[in-house]
Amino acid sequence: SILLNYIKKNNLNIGLLGGSFDPAHKGHLKISKIAKKKFKLKYVIWAITLRNPFKKSASLNIESRIKNLKKIIKNNKFIKMEYLEKKTNSKKSIDIVKFLLKRNKSLKIYFIMGADNLIQLNKWKKWKELVKLVKVIVFDREGYKSRALRSKAAKQMNKKQWIFVNFKKINISSSKIRKI
């Protein structure tokens, strides 16, 4: 992709927001905009995955999710959709981060996640290695803050490795949208 070639040649701060985006929504967009501004990011990559490894399956097929995702980001040129699973032959975050860093060792990656993901981060493959390669940006989510801040990963991570971002939350989630 054009973005991956661009990354190879430039020193950049980029955000990485991974997920099944089932479906993508304005909450994803809002945290991407906040991260861009707060951490001076050139791009935020939305790395879509075939399915969340902690869920049975996605409700929409990958083609529908990509189409929906492109519609949501079309007016936000700093957000780039990438389906990196095919290029990395893996759906694991650690492999995607290593793939990007292999292209450019001086890349600074801000790994964006919701507080709900911080709660289970310690179950991710090679999570301790992952948090050493990136700066983890955790966005508060309705009803998750205290559990996230008390989580195993939160307690074990070095304070320089991550930051918790409080913000005016949008009470929306992909699972709520799927129930509509």
Side-chain angles (χ1 to χ4, degrees):
S1 88
I2 295 166
L3 175 66
L4 294 178
N5 286 333
Y6 183 79
I7 284 174
K8 201 183 241 182
K9 299 177 186 117
N10 296 279
N11 289 348
L12 300 171
N13 288 350
I14 63 164
L16 182 62
L17 176 62
S20 53
F21 296 97
D22 187 25
H25 54 72
K26 62 185 178 184
H28 297 125
L29 192 57
K30 184 171 183 181
I31 65 173
S32 296
K33 287 178 175 179
I34 292 169
K36 180 191 188 312
K37 191 174 177 184
K38 191 172 175 90
F39 302 102
K40 297 173 178 55
L41 307 178
K42 177 75 176 173
Y43 293 108
V44 174
I45 297 172
W46 284 14
I48 192 166
T49 183
L50 198 54
R51 74 175 187 85
N52 180 324
F54 295 103
K55 293 181 182 166
K56 295 243 186 305
S57 66
S59 64
L60 296 170
N61 65 35
I62 189 92
E63 293 80 14
S64 302
R65 289 183 282 136
I66 287 171
K67 204 165 120 182
N68 174 48
L69 195 148
K70 285 180 176 174
K71 223 184 291 176
I72 285 185
I73 66 174
K74 74 173 182 276
N75 296 324
N76 297 281
K77 301 291 179 223
F78 74 95
I79 299 174
K80 304 294 181 192
M81 192 279 303
E82 290 286 341
Y83 183 37
L84 295 169
E85 276 182 25
K86 273 189 174 161
K87 292 180 176 90
T88 62
N89 228 358
S90 171
K91 60 181 150 283
K92 305 295 182 203
S93 298
I94 185 71
D95 298 327
I96 289 170
V97 166
K98 283 180 173 180
F99 171 80
L100 293 171
L101 289 171
K102 196 187 230 177
R103 300 186 87 72
N104 183 340
K105 300 230 182 306
S106 63
L107 201 60
K108 179 126 168 98
I109 301 173
Y110 290 78
F111 195 87
I112 302 165
M113 68 169 60
D116 55 322
N117 281 308
L118 180 61
I119 294 167
Q120 56 189 7
L121 180 61
N122 65 298
K123 295 176 183 155
W124 291 21
K125 180 184 175 198
K126 298 183 180 177
W127 76 273
K128 286 182 178 178
E129 185 182 352
L130 174 69
V131 302
K132 287 178 183 163
L133 298 174
V134 299
K135 173 91 171 181
V136 179
I137 310 302
V138 181
F139 279 88
D140 195 0
R141 282 201 59 190
E142 202 68 49
Y144 290 98
K145 183 177 183 174
S146 63
R147 274 181 36 225
L149 295 175
R150 288 192 322 264
S151 70
K152 188 174 184 177
K155 289 177 180 171
Q156 290 184 19
M157 275 191 286
N158 177 315
K159 292 286 179 227
K160 291 184 198 122
Q161 292 171 308
W162 70 292
I163 184 167
F164 193 88
V165 180
N166 290 298
F167 73 109
K168 191 174 183 294
K169 292 170 277 309
I170 295 175
N171 194 8
I172 192 166
S173 70
S174 296
S175 43
K176 278 186 185 174
I177 292 170
R178 287 193 301 271
K179 286 176 187 167
I180 296 172

